Amino acid sequence: MEAAPSVRTFSPSSSSSAGARPCLLLAGPASRRARGLAAPPQPRAVASSRAPLVVSSPPPPEASVTPAPAHAKVDRSGRFCSPRAARELALMISYAACLEGTDVVRLFDRRISARREPGFVFDKACLLSYNHMSFGGGPLEVGTEEEAEKLTSQNEKDSANEEDVLSAPPKLVYNNFVLRLSRELLVAVASGWDKHVDIIDKIIPQAWKDEPVARILELCILHIAMAEMTSKGTPHKVVINEAVDLAKRFCDGGAPRVINGCLRTFVKDHVDVAGTSQGAESKS
């Protein structure tokens, strides 16, 4: 892939609808996370990519206010150090590259080397509150306006926290291992882009083909997962589970289920036991 496809417009898909009974619906975590994915050059500029989702059940009081360092997985320097963070960063860069119509590796290098704005300050404490395993769900029904206001306030705080993390300069958020792994994934995405475009076109549902611009996130997840399977030697089950979790965090509707099915088809028809592309092996 010389460069990611240029995108002129972006049409967010429709949000989940409420049930028959009257209830108060609150925007869920998937919508606020999608706002940070555009990864624009300016640290505080964040684009929205999805219509709001709603969460299925109210979080326990202690979970809504207590940081979750176990999920954050930070090292001694206070930066993210897990492979999941690397995949998340690769998705953020891939998505932004599609919106800008630029090469994913070139965009990654540009973001890494970008100078911070004068006066920019990043509070590393927000990394401890960031949860890589926070997923959205269905409608949430609450009994009183007070409960609704409380949960809405907590959603807004979580949204601001995640916005700070996802839009901060990568070197302040991720350690060298994560940055290196993320770049390796993006190099694999770039080198396998053309081949995987043809495969993806055959295995995704027709509805996604009819609205490709509204499915940029989902298609980027597929590209990253396929590239990791064929270039990194990561076990297929691990890659599929990670891709599904990314879809649960950043996409809406039935995207996790569709991505799971697409990747299983990809493994069955296009990847051998060793994890290499069958098409590439047959040519050699």
Side-chain angles (χ1 to χ4, degrees):
M1 180 187 70
E2 294 300 326
S6 177
V7 177
R8 292 188 297 272
T9 59
F10 188 82
S11 303
S13 57
S14 59
S15 61
S16 303
S17 59
R21 292 185 300 166
C23 60
L24 299 172
L25 298 181
L26 302 179
S31 61
R32 65 174 182 261
R33 285 189 294 271
R35 290 199 292 271
L37 273 176
Q42 301 301 325
R44 285 296 182 268
V46 181
S48 175
S49 63
R50 275 289 181 270
L53 287 183
V54 288
V55 294
S56 55
S57 57
E62 60 273 15
S64 63
V65 296
T66 304
H71 293 305
K73 294 186 178 179
V74 298
D75 62 9
R76 293 181 178 179
S77 69
R79 296 177 175 84
F80 289 148
C81 58
S82 68
R84 173 160 295 196
R87 297 182 182 98
E88 188 176 282
L89 176 59
L91 175 60
M92 179 168 59
I93 297 296
S94 297
Y95 177 70
C98 286
L99 294 182
E100 294 185 12
T102 188
D103 178 80
V104 290
V105 180
R106 188 176 298 116
L107 177 59
F108 177 87
D109 292 340
R110 191 170 76 233
R111 288 213 70 207
I112 294 300
S113 60
R115 294 183 178 180
R116 279 177 266 171
E117 290 184 336
F120 174 76
V121 177
F122 178 67
D123 183 7
K124 285 191 176 182
C126 65
L127 297 181
L128 297 178
S129 300
Y130 187 88
N131 188 354
H132 291 290
M133 296 290 289
S134 176
F135 303 139
L140 168 64
E141 183 175 333
V142 294
T144 65
E145 289 287 347
E146 183 179 357
E147 292 178 5
E149 291 177 359
K150 183 178 180 180
L151 290 176
T152 298
S153 175
Q154 185 60 47
N155 269 350
E156 291 175 352
K157 292 179 181 178
D158 292 342
S159 176
N161 184 76
E162 294 190 343
E163 181 177 317
D164 287 344
V165 171
L166 293 177
S167 61
K171 285 187 176 181
L172 299 181
V173 177
Y174 309 96
N175 70 2
N176 289 334
F177 164 76
V178 171
L179 295 176
R180 182 172 63 254
L181 177 56
S182 182
R183 192 180 192 280
E184 289 173 357
L185 290 174
L186 292 173
V187 169
V189 167
S191 62
W193 183 275
D194 292 337
K195 176 178 63 180
H196 292 155
V197 162
D198 294 335
I199 296 175
I200 288 173
D201 187 60
K202 296 176 182 177
I203 63 178
I204 61 174
Q206 185 61 44
W208 287 20
K209 297 179 185 179
D210 295 339
E211 52 174 17
V213 177
R215 293 296 175 180
I216 295 177
L217 279 170
E218 290 86 343
L219 298 178
C220 286
I221 291 174
L222 288 175
H223 274 286
I224 292 170
M226 291 177 178
E228 183 172 1
M229 286 183 189
T230 57
S231 68
K232 298 295 294 180
T234 309
H236 303 153
K237 290 184 179 180
V238 173
V239 176
I240 293 175
N241 288 339
E242 290 292 307
V244 170
D245 283 349
L246 283 175
K248 289 178 180 179
R249 279 180 57 72
F250 297 112
C251 306
D252 60 10
R257 175 179 53 81
V258 174
I259 285 176
N260 179 70
C262 289
L263 292 178
R264 291 186 182 278
T265 300
F266 174 70
V267 170
K268 178 182 177 181
D269 298 341
H270 300 280
V271 180
D272 61 18
V273 177
T276 58
S277 172
Q278 292 178 359
E281 188 179 59
S282 62
K283 292 180 182 180
S284 59

